[in-house]
């Protein structure tokens, strides 16, 4: 609790200590994490009256829109942002009719010394208005029940009332002497606000002050809620476990619910809501109970309007910041972790969404390890498995590292009183380098005693042995732990955004950052300039935020769209060798035959962006022919030459080519497309292409005709399955020969042929093995499967044998007649497979069991095997294949007499035979197969081989096998 109060105090002091006004948002691209879930605290959650949309506001400078019924991610709303605090979103609200989302926080303060409220169109995500003139950061936004007003409570000077007719401030509520974090309307339009000055204030529907009382339940009044009948107000506190219920007319205290068990001096119940009938009162906050191996913050529910008995429910992993009741009497919450979810009125979880970010918020600083040379790090989240990442091997392993932990006593230097302290000591002497209210979080001493590194709430400091500050860097959040390499001038640090970063010890400069999703499946490593390495599917975990001015939604470009210049799989090794980002980029470029360093301004190489304006997500269509209105943005000097349309992730056959679209303005150009959709629920995705490549897909889900209600995801009409299976064991070159790839291909086709009459009405196979698997015959096979597969069918391509990169990193499959020295002419480039995949009308699943270990003396001449770029290309939205690959990083795929197959194919056959049916429904989906392969291959190979799966975001999970 003390940490949360300190954060509020730091923000408040920084805002009002003085402001350097910059004028307008920077146009320079800003590198950000890019996940389909928030990466920092979710301060607010809200929903429309119909309960269709949820919106969440986060410290990560974004607002996200969700399907309120399922919790499914719909879109991210991106306000203009800048470095530091600018753009942090503390508040959001959705209009009662669901048309508009309002968002605010630290929004515009750094540019105008005033904050703005941004108004977005919920469906399109475009900014439609900006409310100016708010003389403080905004902590809460609430729409009035008639939708005519929007209340904004602020860090100082009370609150503003905004008219939604013209999005302007129409009233100011003044007289506050501290921050106001919450407001609530009753059904008549009366308004109540809370403030850290200890007051509760009641206004009528004309916003005239009616009552002002000093409350006694704590010093920091926070969450508010009117009872459904408007007769009572519930109040929670930021610094107290007490919840109080007041008369809504007089603000007289009526009663206090029972807080037995909560009042231990650490907990508080800061946010409240009522059931729809007003008979139950809920409160959440920081109320931790250990359940099923984890600490959970609980919600308390009282009967009899808060006067009866209570029951506690596990809610979230840290502080609950907001709770709201939906029309069906379920409720939603948002939390600090970050997480959010939906529960029914009895506390049964309907869905729960947690961050993809590891939490390193742990007082145990020994979990961060670094090797003497700095090339390998070990880390573990607050709860969960430990991981080791090697820069040299480009590999993430789920195992504990055995490197030294940080030390606070070494060579005559002793650091004390440092943990969560504002006054750490060096050999007994108090140090005074921290900013006001800032806490020391971790510390380490270099092996020579020359540098002491301290991390804090928003900074990292380097001090000499005498305690004199050598350098300071500003961090993008709390730095939870630091560890200095004993044999190299670098240190590692873990951050509140879930990243682990390498810094140069001499000046603290950041060298590299690593982000790993909390399931351990994907990772991305990058430099401050945005040059990156990644696992397959990990490249788009980061991207470039580009402001489009003060009054427009910002654009976002995932890093993978710039792969031709910024994908550098060797960058980590060069940077740790040279300890200089610029020199490392130069060396990396030379090794890959790139003459420039790839540091060209991102603004000079932007692909288009596409926004779907109509129909709205979830709309029901009356015709199979649908009109889609889209907004397309592209640089003025780079026209759009193609618009690609996908239905359920596959080509619709109605692409628009041979066009030259140039924007009339920076705001973009609207276009109308006509697409034929199948019966049922489907997703339409639109991509635009200019000379820099394709845009990210814009997607809308719509419904036409009959929709299955059985709860499964099988096909409405049984499709045909076409299989092209290629396996090469007997290469013409004896140095390349293997034992099992041809058998792998044969076993796969025989197994899948048994699905005839089950999931598929027919299974047609084309098996090409050994000496028949020449380059020409493989190309003919690709042409065959492209021609035969219709939009109602499924295509599977299975390839087993050797893979090899050329000197430029391009991946080739090696046919039986390959001549390694003439790879470009005799090998099969994965670009050929990508072109086939992109043209296949039906769903495409690609199994790649390549890079086998064997006598690889010759194949290794091409350099280390790198599958990432090929897998990312195959699984991109424009190509749309689901790719299962046998190995990752620098691993080779293994085969053994014990298995009678390659390890990957062995696991694949087992999984498809039924072992991947984890839920016992006699069917196996893409996601279930992914999970089985991931665990089984590691088990078979004792962790020496890690399979990977890459899936386009435009393709949903679906069944591929039914158990007979």
């Amino acid at each position: 609790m003390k940490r949360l109060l300190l954060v509020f105090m730091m923000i408040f002091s920084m805002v009002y200590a003085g402001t350097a006004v910059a004028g307008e948002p920077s146009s320079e691209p800003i590198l950000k994490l890019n996940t389909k879930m928030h990466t920092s605290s979710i301060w607010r959650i809200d929903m429309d009256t119909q309960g269709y949309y949820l919106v969440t506001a986060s410290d990560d400078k974004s607002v996200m829109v969700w399907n309120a019924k399922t919790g499914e991610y719909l879109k991210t709303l991106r306000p203009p942002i800048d470095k530091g605090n600018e753009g942090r979103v503390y508040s959001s609200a959705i209009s009662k009719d669901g048309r508009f989302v309002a968002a605010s926080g630290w929004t515009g303060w750094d540019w105008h010394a005033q904050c703005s409220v941004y108004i977005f169109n919920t469906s399109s995500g475009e900014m439609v208005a900006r409310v100016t003139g708010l003389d403080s950061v905004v902590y809460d936004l609430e729409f009035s029940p008639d939708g005519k007003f929007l209340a904004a409570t602020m860090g100082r000077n009370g609150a503003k009332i905004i008219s939604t007719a013209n999005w302007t401030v129409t009233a100011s509520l003044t007289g506050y002497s501290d921050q106001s974090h919450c407001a609530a309307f009753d059904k008549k339009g009366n308004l109540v606000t809370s403030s850290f000055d200890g007051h509760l204030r009641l206004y009528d529907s004309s916003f005239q002050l009616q009552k002002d009382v000093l409350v006694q339940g704590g010093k920091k009044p926070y969450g508010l809620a009117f009872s459904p009948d408007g007769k009572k107000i519930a109040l929670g506190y930021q610094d107290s476990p007490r919840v109080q219920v007041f008369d809504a007319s007089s603000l007289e205290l009526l009663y206090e619910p029972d807080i037995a068990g909560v009042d231990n001096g650490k907990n508080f119940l800061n946010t409240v809501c009522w059931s729809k009938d007003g008979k139950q009162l809920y409160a959440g906050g920081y109320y931790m109970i250990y359940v099923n191996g984890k600490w959970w913050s609980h919600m308390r529910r009282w009967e009899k309007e808060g006067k009866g008995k209570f029951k506690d429910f596990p809610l979230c992993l840290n502080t609950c910041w907001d709770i709201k009741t939906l029309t069906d009497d379920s409720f939603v919450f948002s939390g600090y972790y970050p997480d959010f979810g939906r529960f029914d009125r009895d506390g049964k979880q309907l869905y729960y969404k947690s961050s993809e970010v590891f939490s390193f918020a742990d007082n145990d600083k020994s979990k961060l390890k670094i090797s003497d040379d700095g090339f390998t790090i070990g880390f573990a989240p607050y709860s969960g498995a430990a991981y080791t990442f090697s820069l040299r091997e480009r590999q993430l392993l789920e195992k504990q590292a055995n490197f030294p932990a940080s030390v606070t006593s070494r060579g005559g230097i002793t650091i004390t009183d440092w943990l969560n302290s504002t006054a750490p000591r060096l050999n007994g002497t108090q140090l005074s380098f921290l900013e006001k209210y800032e806490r020391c979080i971790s510390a380490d001493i270099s092996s020579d005693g020359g540098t002491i590194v301290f991390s804090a709430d928003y900074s990292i400091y380097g001090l000499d042995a005498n305690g004199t500050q050598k350098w300071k860097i500003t961090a993008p959040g709390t730095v939870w732990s630091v560890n200095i390499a004993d044999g190299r001038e670098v240190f590692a640090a873990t951050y509140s955004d879930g990243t682990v970063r390498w810094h140069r010890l001499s000046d603290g400069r950041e060298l590299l950052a690593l982000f790993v999703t909390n399931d351990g499946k994907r990772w991305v490593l990058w430099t401050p300039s945005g040059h990156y390495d990644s696992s397959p599917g990990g490249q788009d975990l980061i991207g470039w935020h580009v402001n489009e001015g003060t009054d427009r939604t910002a654009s976002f470009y995932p890093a993978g769209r710039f792969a031709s210049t910024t994908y550098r799989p060797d960058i980590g090794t060069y940077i740790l060798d040279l300890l200089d980002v610029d020199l490392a980029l130069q060396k990396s470029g030379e090794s890959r035959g790139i003459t420039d360093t790839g540091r060209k301004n991102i603004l000079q190489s932007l692909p288009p962006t596409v926004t779907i304006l109509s129909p709205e997500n979830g709309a029901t269509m009356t015709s199979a022919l649908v009109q889609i209105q889209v907004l397309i943005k592209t640089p003025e000097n780079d026209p759009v030459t193609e618009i690609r349309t996908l239905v359920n992730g596959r080509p619709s056959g109605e692409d628009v080519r041979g066009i030259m679209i140039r924007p009339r303005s920076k705001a973009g150009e609207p276009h109308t497309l006509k697409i034929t959709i199948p019966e049922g629920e489907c997703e339409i995705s639109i991509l635009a292409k200019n000379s820099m490549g394709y845009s990210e897909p814009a997607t809308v889900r719509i419904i036409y005709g009959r929709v299955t209600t059985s709860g499964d995801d099988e096909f409405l009409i049984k499709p045909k399955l076409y299989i092209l299976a290629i396996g090469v064991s007997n290469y013409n070159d004896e140095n390349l020969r293997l034992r099992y790839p041809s058998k792998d291909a044969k076993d796969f086709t025989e197994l899948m042929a048994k699905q005839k009459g089950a999931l598929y009405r027919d299974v047609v196979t084309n098996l090409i093995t050994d000496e028949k698997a020449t380059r020409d015959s493989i190309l003919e096979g690709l042409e065959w499967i492209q021609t035969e597969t219709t939009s109602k069918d499924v295509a599977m391509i299975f390839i087993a044998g050797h893979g090899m990169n050329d000197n430029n990193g391009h991946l080739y499959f090696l046919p039986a007649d390959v001549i390694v020295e003439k790879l470009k002419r005799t090998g099969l480039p994965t670009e050929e497979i990508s072109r086939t995949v992109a043209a296949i009308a039906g769903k495409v699943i690609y199994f790649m069991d390549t890079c086998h270990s064997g006598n690889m003396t010759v194949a290794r001449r091409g350099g280390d095997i790198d599958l990432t770029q090929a897998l990312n290309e195959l699984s991109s939205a424009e190509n749309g294949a689901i790719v299962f690959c046998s190995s990752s990083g620098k691993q080779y795929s293994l085969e053994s007499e014990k298995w009678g197959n390659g390890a990957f194919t062995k696991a694949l056959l087992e999984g498809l035979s039924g072992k991947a049916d984890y839920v016992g429904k006699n069917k196996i989906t893409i996601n279930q197969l992914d999970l089985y392969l991931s665990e089984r291959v590691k088990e078979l190979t004792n962790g020496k081989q890690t399979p990977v799966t890459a899936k386009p975001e435009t393709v949903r999970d679906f069944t591929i096998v039914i158990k007979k």
Side-chain angles (χ1 to χ4, degrees):
M1 182 175 76
K2 289 180 180 179
R3 164 166 170 72
L4 298 174
L5 293 178
L6 278 170
V7 169
F8 284 133
M9 292 168 70
M10 288 177 66
I11 291 172
F12 192 81
S13 65
M14 286 188 291
V15 171
Y16 307 117
T19 303
V21 180
E24 288 294 323
S26 169
S27 61
E28 287 299 309
I30 299 170
L31 195 61
K32 285 193 65 180
L33 286 172
N34 178 41
T35 63
K36 296 298 187 291
M37 174 57 180
H38 292 295
T39 59
S40 191
S41 300
I42 305 176
W43 298 106
R44 296 293 176 189
I45 192 165
D46 198 20
M47 64 280 167
D48 62 285
T49 301
Q50 298 301 315
Y52 183 78
Y53 290 117
L54 281 183
V55 294
T56 50
S58 175
D59 228 11
D60 65 9
K61 305 185 181 184
S62 72
V63 176
M64 291 188 175
V65 183
W66 313 83
N67 182 312
K69 182 178 180 180
T70 64
E72 177 189 11
Y73 169 86
L74 297 177
K75 61 170 58 69
T76 299
L77 307 179
R78 301 185 186 276
I81 68 171
D82 217 324
K83 296 178 181 179
N85 291 304
E86 180 56 55
R88 294 182 186 270
V89 185
Y90 304 139
S91 54
S92 65
I94 187 167
S95 60
K96 303 305 178 183
D97 60 7
R99 293 177 59 202
F100 301 108
V101 173
S104 192
W106 194 308
T107 45
W109 183 268
D110 289 0
W111 304 316
H112 311 298
Q114 290 183 330
C115 283
S116 299
V117 178
Y118 301 119
I119 309 299
F120 298 90
N121 179 287
T122 309
S123 179
S124 69
E126 292 296 301
M127 190 186 299
V128 296
R130 180 171 66 93
V131 184
T132 60
L134 289 86
D135 50 358
S136 171
V137 297
V138 176
Y139 287 127
D140 191 24
L141 292 168
E142 300 290 339
F143 279 98
S144 62
D146 59 9
K148 294 181 179 180
F149 298 101
L150 176 68
T153 66
M154 302 185 298
R156 67 175 181 182
N157 297 340
K160 302 288 187 183
I161 304 300
I162 298 164
S163 168
T164 61
N166 53 13
W167 300 112
T168 58
V169 174
T170 61
S172 297
L173 311 183
T174 59
Y176 297 61
S177 61
D178 208 333
Q179 306 171 53
S180 177
H181 281 270
C182 284
F185 283 99
D186 71 2
K187 59 184 179 182
K188 296 179 180 179
N190 298 312
L191 176 72
V192 63
T193 65
S194 64
S195 172
F196 278 7
D197 63 11
H199 286 255
L200 199 61
R201 295 172 173 89
L202 179 67
Y203 303 85
D204 64 17
S205 57
S206 299
F207 307 108
Q208 299 300 309
L209 182 65
Q210 302 298 303
K211 295 289 181 181
D212 182 344
V213 299
L214 181 65
V215 294
Q216 303 297 323
K219 296 180 180 180
K220 306 284 184 182
Y222 192 83
L224 292 164
F226 274 103
S227 60
D229 60 9
K231 295 181 179 180
K232 293 177 287 296
I233 297 169
L235 172 67
Y237 292 84
Q238 185 65 64
D239 62 339
S240 168
R242 295 168 68 181
V243 173
Q244 298 180 311
V245 179
F246 298 85
D247 180 270
S249 298
S250 65
L251 295 188
E252 293 180 3
L253 179 64
L254 299 176
Y255 54 88
E256 295 190 19
D258 187 351
I259 57 170
V262 187
D263 53 345
N264 64 356
K266 297 180 180 179
N267 298 319
F268 55 87
L269 298 173
N270 61 305
T271 183
V272 293
C273 72
W274 300 83
S275 62
K276 281 299 178 183
D277 60 11
K279 294 180 180 180
Q280 294 176 318
L281 177 63
Y282 301 90
Y286 186 84
Y287 173 30
M288 306 302 288
I289 301 175
Y290 196 69
V291 178
N292 297 327
K294 284 186 179 181
W295 285 96
W296 289 88
S297 186
H298 280 55
M299 166 175 280
R300 177 158 290 188
R301 183 196 69 191
W302 295 275
E303 305 294 337
K304 297 181 179 179
E305 302 175 334
K307 292 177 286 189
K309 61 183 181 180
F310 63 80
K311 185 176 182 180
D312 295 334
F313 306 105
L315 191 66
C316 53
L317 288 173
N318 205 296
T319 304
C320 173
W321 283 122
D322 199 11
I323 51 177
K324 297 279 175 62
T325 310
L326 279 80
T327 53
D328 64 352
D329 225 6
S330 63
F331 63 88
V332 291
F333 81 90
S334 64
Y336 177 85
Y337 173 64
D339 50 6
F340 76 93
R342 182 171 178 174
F343 290 70
D344 68 16
R345 65 179 291 160
D346 295 320
K348 179 183 176 182
Q349 187 182 98
L350 302 177
Y351 57 77
Y352 172 75
K353 300 290 182 180
S354 64
S355 176
E356 294 185 50
V357 171
F358 279 131
S359 173
F360 297 119
D362 199 327
N363 287 339
D364 181 1
K365 308 306 176 184
S366 68
K367 291 183 176 180
L368 176 62
K369 318 274 191 178
I370 188 167
S371 61
D372 286 351
D373 63 4
F375 280 86
T376 306
I377 56 170
F379 56 91
Y382 177 73
S383 60
Y387 289 87
T388 299
F389 184 82
S390 168
L391 288 173
R392 293 192 192 278
E393 298 300 321
R394 302 174 54 227
Q395 189 168 3
L396 177 74
L397 296 176
E398 187 179 320
K399 73 174 187 178
Q400 180 74 49
N402 296 317
F403 309 128
S406 57
V407 297
T408 53
S409 182
R410 170 182 276 174
I413 299 173
T414 299
I415 308 297
T416 57
D417 302 326
W418 56 271
L419 182 59
N420 300 325
S421 167
T422 58
R425 294 179 179 272
L426 169 60
N427 293 337
T429 301
Q430 182 174 317
L431 300 171
S432 58
F433 60 90
L434 293 169
E435 297 288 342
K436 187 177 182 181
Y437 299 122
E438 195 174 33
R439 303 169 308 147
C440 177
I441 306 295
S442 69
D444 193 18
I445 305 168
S446 65
S447 57
D448 63 3
T451 304
I452 308 166
V453 175
F454 288 94
S455 75
D457 284 293
Y458 293 103
S459 310
I460 306 178
Y461 299 86
L463 279 62
D464 67 17
N466 298 315
T468 301
Q469 183 173 312
K470 299 168 67 174
W471 50 261
K472 171 192 174 183
I473 62 169
T474 300
T478 302
V479 183
W480 289 110
S481 56
V482 293
N483 192 334
I484 305 171
D486 285 342
R488 192 175 294 271
E489 288 287 298
V490 297
F491 67 91
T494 56
Y495 282 71
S496 57
D497 63 0
T499 59
V500 184
R501 306 191 185 214
W502 284 259
H503 293 262
R504 192 163 58 193
L505 186 60
S506 60
D507 56 7
R509 181 183 177 185
E510 182 183 317
L511 299 172
L512 287 166
L514 172 71
F515 177 74
V516 179
T517 56
N518 61 3
D519 59 6
K521 288 187 174 183
R522 294 181 295 157
W523 58 265
V524 58
L525 177 82
W526 70 94
T527 70
S529 59
H531 296 81
Y532 71 93
D533 185 18
S534 76
S535 65
Q539 76 282 4
D540 289 342
L541 289 169
I542 58 170
W544 295 99
H545 173 109
V546 179
N547 292 323
E548 302 285 356
T550 308
D551 299 302
R552 283 196 286 268
T553 302
S555 297
F556 191 85
Y557 303 90
R561 294 293 159 183
F562 309 98
S564 61
T565 57
T566 59
Y567 175 60
R568 300 290 181 87
D570 54 5
I571 194 65
T573 301
Y574 279 117
I575 284 182
L576 263 289
D577 276 335
L578 300 169
L579 298 183
D580 186 288
V581 174
D582 292 330
L583 287 177
L585 289 173
Q586 180 180 338
K587 290 290 185 182
S588 171
E590 291 172 356
S591 71
R592 296 174 66 82
I594 299 174
T595 54
D596 67 53
T597 63
R599 293 179 65 91
K600 183 171 64 175
N601 192 319
I602 293 296
L603 294 174
Q604 298 174 5
S605 54
L606 293 178
T609 62
V610 178
T611 301
I612 294 178
L613 301 176
S614 66
E616 291 191 5
N617 203 66
T620 299
M621 301 290 104
T622 58
S623 169
L625 185 63
V626 178
Q627 288 194 353
I628 309 293
Q629 188 177 35
V630 298
L631 184 70
I632 299 176
K633 300 178 185 178
T634 187
E636 180 63 38
N637 60 349
D638 198 354
V640 168
T641 56
E642 177 184 342
I643 299 175
R644 185 153 205 199
T645 59
L646 309 176
V647 176
N648 293 328
R650 299 309 305 155
S652 71
E654 295 163 293
D655 295 349
V656 181
R657 293 185 171 90
I659 56 176
M660 291 287 285
I661 299 175
R662 296 181 184 274
R664 293 179 182 174
S665 71
K666 197 174 182 181
E669 177 73 3
H671 286 269
T672 300
L673 308 170
K674 293 183 178 180
I675 300 173
T676 303
I677 61 173
E679 189 177 25
E681 184 179 76
C682 72
E683 287 187 346
I684 295 176
S685 300
I686 312 295
L687 301 93
K689 184 181 182 181
N690 64 13
S691 67
M692 296 300 168
Y694 283 100
S695 68
E696 283 297 285
T699 300
V700 63
R701 184 173 297 173
I702 56 178
I703 300 168
Y704 167 63
R706 184 169 64 94
V707 180
T708 57
T709 58
S710 60
D712 62 29
D713 54 4
E714 295 174 19
F715 301 92
L716 290 172
I717 301 172
K718 285 185 178 182
K720 269 189 176 183
L721 172 62
Y722 290 91
I723 298 174
L724 172 64
I726 300 160
V728 186
S729 301
N730 297 324
Y731 284 89
N732 293 349
D733 185 338
E734 294 183 358
N735 291 317
L736 297 175
R737 290 183 179 176
L738 297 163
R739 297 192 64 178
Y740 294 109
S742 57
K743 182 176 182 295
D744 289 343
K746 184 172 181 284
D747 290 349
F748 176 77
T749 56
E750 289 178 352
L751 175 66
M752 292 306 300
K754 297 177 182 178
Q755 285 293 302
K756 181 177 180 179
L759 182 60
Y760 307 100
R761 71 179 188 273
D762 194 9
V763 178
V764 183
T765 63
N766 186 352
L767 177 64
I768 308 173
T769 60
D770 290 335
E771 66 275 0
K772 294 181 180 179
T774 63
R775 186 179 188 275
D776 287 345
S777 63
I778 295 172
L779 288 172
E780 289 174 2
L782 291 171
E783 184 177 357
W784 167 82
I785 200 167
Q786 175 185 328
T787 303
E788 295 294 320
T789 307
T790 72
S791 61
K792 297 179 175 61
D793 300 327
V794 176
M796 292 184 180
I797 301 173
F798 179 97
I799 291 183
H802 279 308
M804 180 179 174
N805 291 116
D806 65 15
N807 290 330
N808 293 320
H810 299 121
L811 182 65
Y812 289 77
F813 176 71
L814 305 189
D817 57 347
V818 70
I819 301 172
V820 172
E821 292 78 10
K822 300 178 180 179
L823 184 62
K824 188 172 183 178
R825 184 166 60 85
T826 62
L828 180 71
T830 51
E831 287 88 345
E832 288 287 350
I833 301 173
S834 294
R835 280 192 284 270
T836 298
V837 164
I840 292 175
K843 290 182 169 68
V844 182
I845 308 169
Y846 180 37
F847 300 96
M848 186 161 60
D849 194 356
T850 58
C851 304
H852 280 269
S853 65
N855 182 358
M856 286 295 292
T857 305
V858 175
R860 284 181 181 171
R861 293 176 187 170
D864 295 319
I865 302 297
D866 178 20
L867 303 171
T868 302
Q869 199 165 3
L871 265 63
N872 288 341
E873 181 181 348
L874 283 161
S875 62
S876 64
E878 58 267 27
N879 291 327
I882 299 165
V883 184
F884 292 94
C885 184
S886 56
S887 58
S888 63
K890 295 184 178 180
Q891 297 174 341
Y892 290 104
S893 300
L894 306 178
E895 56 180 22
S896 170
E897 291 182 6
K898 180 170 60 176
W899 310 321
N901 292 105
F904 174 78
T905 300
K906 172 69 174 176
L908 176 63
L909 298 173
E910 289 177 353
L912 292 174
S913 295
K915 290 188 176 181
D917 179 18
Y918 286 104
V919 295
K921 290 188 176 181
N922 293 320
K923 65 180 183 179
I924 294 154
T925 69
I926 292 293
N927 290 346
Q928 289 174 320
L929 183 61
D930 175 26
L931 177 59
Y932 184 80
L933 290 173
S934 176
E935 298 301 321
R936 182 56 172 154
V937 173
K938 285 188 285 187
E939 179 184 355
L940 287 170
T941 63
N942 295 317
K944 295 178 181 178
Q945 182 178 330
T946 307
V948 294
T949 302
K951 186 165 81 74
E953 61 179 88
T954 53
V955 178
R956 302 174 70 185
D957 191 26
F958 62 94
T959 301
I960 54 174
V961 161
I962 291 179
K963 289 168 63 177
K964 286 191 171 183

